[in-house]
C-alpha cells in the first residue's frame, strides 16, 4: 500500500477537498498574527516586553471567549456563527494597526488586540467535520487528525515567513492587514461548503467538557505545551534580531513547523490510532493506551527541546539554531495528534467543537504565558536565556501527562474484569438432621 493511500481515501469523500481548501486559507493567518504583531509593535515602540505582553493579552482573552464561540457553533451551525465572529475580529486587528500607526497610548494596543479574540477555531471546525464524516472509523479519523495537525504546522511554517517578509519588505503593518484579509476570505469559502457541515446540536444538560473525566489534566498539559510555542517564538525572533537577521526569524521558525509537518504526515500513516471500542471497559482501555502514548510523545518533545537551548548557548549561531528547531519540531505533531485524540474521546456527545476549542484555548493561554515569560527573560537577561522557558514548560507538561496516564491506567485496572474477584461457591457444609421430637 502506498503511504499516500490513507490520505487519498480521506479526500475521496464528497466535499472534503472543498472545505479543506477554504480552511487552509483561513488557518494561514494563525501563523502570521502574533509574529506580525510582535514585529510591528517592537519596531514602533522599541520593546519586546510590550509586544509580548500585548500578544499575551490577546491570546488570554481568546482562551476565555473562544469556548463560548464554539458552543454557539455547535448549537447554531458553523456558517451562522463563524462569519460574523470573524468580521468582528477583523475590526480588532485593523484597530491595532491604526493604534500603532498613529502612536496611540499603549493601553489601546491591548484593547485592540483583545478584540481579535472572537476569531473562530477554524481548525476545530474542520476536525469536527472529519469526526462527523468518519464516525466509527478510528483508523481513518487518526489519519484525518494527523492531516489536520500537518496543516496546522504548514500554516505555522508559511505564516511566519510570509509575515516577516511583508513586515520587512512592504510595511510593518502589512502582515496584520494581509492576515486579516486571508482570514475573512478563508472563512467565507469554508462555511460555504454546507454539505459536510456537522448537524446542529441542541443545548444539552451535560456538563462542560472541561470537567469530563480526564479532561482537566489534559487541558493543563495543553496549557504547558502552549507555553513552549509562545516562548520559543519570542526568543527566536529576539535572537535573530540580536544577530542582525530579524528578517530571517520567520524562516527559522518555519523550519520548526516543517519538521512537525513531516512528522505529522508520517504519524498518520505509521500509527493508525487506537482500536474502536464499544463497551465501557474497552473504551477505558483505549483511553489508557492513548494517554500512555501521549505521555511518551510529550517526553520526546521535552528531550528534543534541549537542542535549541544548547545551540544558542554553545554556538550562538542562527543556522545551527535553525537546524536544532527543525529536529525539535518533529515531536510536536505526534504530541498534538495524540492529545486531540484524547480530547475527542473524552468530550461528551454533542459538544465536540467546544471540547476541541477548549484544548486550543488551553494552548493559546499557554502561548500567552509563554510569550510574556519569554519576553521578560529576553528583556531582563538575553535572547539565549529565553530558550530556557520552552524547556521548563515542556518538562511541566511531561510531569502532568505522566501522572494523568497513571491515573487513566489505574482507572482501567479498577474496572477491568480481571481486577474483580470471581465468585467462588463455597462447599456446602453437612448439617445434621434435627432429632425427632418425642412426646414426653
Amino acid at each position: 500500500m502506498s503511504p499516500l493511500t490513507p490520505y487519498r481515501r480521506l479526500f475521496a469523500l464528497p466535499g472534503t477537498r472543498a472545505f479543506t481548501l477554504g480552511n487552509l486559507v483561513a488557518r494561514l493567518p494563525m501563523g502570521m498574527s502574533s509574529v506580525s504583531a510582535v514585529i510591528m509593535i517592537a519596531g514602533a515602540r522599541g520593546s519586546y516586553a510590550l509586544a509580548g505582553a500585548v500578544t499575551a493579552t490577546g491570546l488570554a482573552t481568546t482562551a476565555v471567549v473562544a469556548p463560548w464561540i464554539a458552543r454557539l457553533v455547535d448549537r447554531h451551525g458553523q456558517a451562522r456563527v463563524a462569519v460574523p465572529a470573524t468580521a468582528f475580529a477583523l475590526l480588532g486587528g485593523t484597530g491595532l494597526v491604526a493604534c500603532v500607526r498613529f502612536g496611540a497610548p499603549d493601553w489601546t494596543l491591548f484593547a485592540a488586540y483583545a478584540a481579535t479574540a472572537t476569531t473562530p477555531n477554524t481548525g476545530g471546525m474542520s476536525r469536527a467535520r472529519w469526526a462527523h464524516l468518519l464516525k466509527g472509523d478510528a483508523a481513518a479519523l487518526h489519519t484525518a487528525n494527523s492531516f489536520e495537525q500537518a496543516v496546522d504546522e504548514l500554516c505555522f511554517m508559511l505564516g511566519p515567513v510570509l509575515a516577516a517578509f511583508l513586515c520587512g519588505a512592504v510595511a510593518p503593518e502589512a502582515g496584520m492587514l494581509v492576515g486579516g484579509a486571508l482570514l475573512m476570505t478563508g472563512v467565507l469559502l469554508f462555511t460555504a461548503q454546507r454539505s459536510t457541515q456537522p448537524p446542529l446540536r441542541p443545548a444539552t444538560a451535560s456538563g462542560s467538557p472541561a470537567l469530563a473525566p480526564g479532561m482537566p489534566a489534559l487541558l493543563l498539559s495543553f496549557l504547558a505545551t502552549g507555553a513552549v510555542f509562545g516562548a520559543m517564538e519570542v526568543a527566536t525572533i529576539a535572537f535573530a534580531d540580536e544577530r542582525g537577521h530579524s528578517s530571517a526569524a520567520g524562516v527559522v521558525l518555519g523550519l520548526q513547523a516543517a519538521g512537525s509537518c513531516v512528522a505529522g504526515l508520517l504519524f498518520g500513516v505509521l500509527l493508525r490510532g487506537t482500536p474502536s471500542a464499544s463497551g465501557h471497559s474497552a473504551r477505558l482501555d483505549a483511553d489508557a493506551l492513548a494517554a500512555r502514548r501521549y505521555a511518551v510523545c510529550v517526553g520526546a518533545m521535552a528531550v528534543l527541546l534541549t537542542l535549541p537551548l544548547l545551540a544558542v548557548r554553545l554556538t550562538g549561531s542562527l543556522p545551527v539554531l535553525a537546524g536544532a528547531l527543525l529536529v525539535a519540531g518533529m515531536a510536536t505533531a505526534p504530541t498534538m495528534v495524540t492529545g486531540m485524540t484524547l480530547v475527542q474521546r473524552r468530550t461528551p456527545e454533542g459538544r465536540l467543537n467546544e471540547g476541541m476549542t477548549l484544548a486550543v484555548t488551553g494552548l493559546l493561554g499557554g502561548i500567552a504565558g509563554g510569550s510574556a515569560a519569554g519576553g521578560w527573560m529576553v528583556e531582563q537577561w538575553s535572547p539565549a536565556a529565553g530558550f530556557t522557558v520552552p524547556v521548563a514548560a515542556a518538562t511541566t507538561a511531561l510531569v502532568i501527562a505522566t501522572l494523568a496516564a497513571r491515573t487513566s491506567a489505574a482507572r482501567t485496572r479498577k474496572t477491568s474484569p480481571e481486577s474483580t474477584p470471581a465468585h467462588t461457591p463455597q462447599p456446602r457444609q453437612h448439617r445434621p438432621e434435627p432429632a425427632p421430637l418425642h412426646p414426653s
Side-chain angles (χ1 to χ4, degrees):
M1 183 181 69
S2 168
L4 296 178
T5 298
Y7 294 103
R8 290 196 184 103
R9 290 175 180 170
L10 288 182
F11 293 105
L13 297 174
T16 54
R17 297 183 183 183
F19 85 71
T20 298
L21 178 61
N23 200 271
L24 178 61
V25 177
R27 282 154 84 172
L28 182 59
M30 74 182 182
M32 300 175 60
S33 179
S34 58
V35 173
S36 298
V38 168
I39 293 176
M40 179 177 66
I41 295 171
R45 303 295 170 93
S47 172
Y48 278 104
L50 174 62
V54 169
T55 56
T57 299
L59 293 173
T61 307
T62 300
V64 176
V65 175
W68 175 67
I69 298 292
R71 193 176 306 123
L72 293 177
V73 168
D74 281 331
R75 293 183 185 178
H76 304 291
Q78 295 181 351
R80 188 174 176 184
V81 175
V83 174
T86 302
F88 188 85
L90 187 59
L91 291 177
T94 306
L96 177 66
V97 171
C99 290
V100 173
R101 181 70 174 178
F102 297 107
D106 288 351
W107 68 265
T108 62
L109 308 185
F110 290 89
Y113 201 67
T116 64
T118 61
T119 302
N121 177 17
T122 52
M125 291 192 295
S126 185
R127 288 178 173 90
R129 293 196 181 209
W130 286 119
H132 166 62
L133 295 172
L134 303 173
K135 190 173 184 179
D137 190 343
L141 186 57
H142 171 78
T143 301
N145 283 337
S146 298
F147 172 78
E148 289 297 322
Q149 188 61 40
V151 171
D152 280 346
E153 302 305 333
L154 179 65
C155 293
F156 279 116
M157 178 174 62
L158 298 178
V161 176
L162 180 58
F165 170 76
L166 290 171
C167 292
V170 181
E173 303 86 359
M176 288 294 298
L177 295 176
V178 173
L182 288 173
L183 175 64
M184 192 75 246
T185 301
V187 168
L188 289 173
L189 290 173
F190 174 76
T191 55
Q193 313 306 317
R194 302 297 180 94
S195 63
T196 53
Q197 182 174 260
L200 299 182
R201 301 290 186 182
T204 62
S206 61
S208 169
L211 302 179
M215 282 291 281
L218 184 58
L219 294 178
L220 282 176
S221 69
F222 272 65
L223 187 71
T225 303
V228 171
F229 305 146
M232 187 67 74
E233 184 176 276
V234 173
T236 301
I237 292 174
F239 184 78
D241 189 24
E242 182 185 57
R243 293 297 182 272
H245 300 288
S246 59
S247 60
V251 176
V252 175
L253 288 169
L255 286 174
Q256 181 186 12
S260 182
C261 181
V262 172
L265 291 174
L266 292 175
F267 190 67
V269 174
L270 299 178
L271 199 59
R272 300 293 306 281
T274 53
S276 300
S278 54
H280 177 68
S281 178
R283 285 197 300 271
L284 286 177
D285 286 339
D287 185 89
L289 175 61
R292 187 164 61 249
R293 185 182 297 168
Y294 178 63
V296 171
C297 292
V298 174
M301 182 177 66
V303 171
L304 292 179
L305 279 171
T306 61
L307 296 179
L309 176 61
L310 292 174
V312 298
R313 288 288 193 184
L314 299 179
T315 70
S317 168
L318 190 60
V320 174
L321 172 62
L325 287 174
L326 176 67
V327 177
M330 292 181 179
T332 301
T335 300
M336 298 310 303
V337 170
T338 311
M340 282 297 182
T341 298
L342 279 171
V343 170
Q344 291 172 345
R345 288 186 176 278
R346 294 173 178 178
T347 299
E349 184 70 24
R351 308 288 287 273
L352 182 57
N353 194 64
E354 184 180 353
M356 289 190 292
T357 300
L358 282 170
V360 173
T361 54
L363 286 172
L364 293 177
I367 291 173
S371 296
W376 184 86
M377 288 291 287
V378 166
E379 199 84 6
Q380 298 297 319
W381 299 91
S382 68
F387 287 92
T388 61
V389 179
V391 176
T395 303
T396 302
L398 175 59
V399 172
I400 296 171
T402 301
L403 293 176
R406 290 178 180 176
T407 301
S408 181
R411 186 166 61 246
T412 300
R413 288 194 299 269
K414 185 177 180 180
T415 58
S416 63
E418 291 80 2
S419 64
T420 304
H423 174 68
T424 303
Q426 299 295 322
R428 297 182 61 183
Q429 297 180 355
H430 174 70
R431 294 183 179 180
E433 295 290 336
L437 298 176
H438 297 282
S440 53

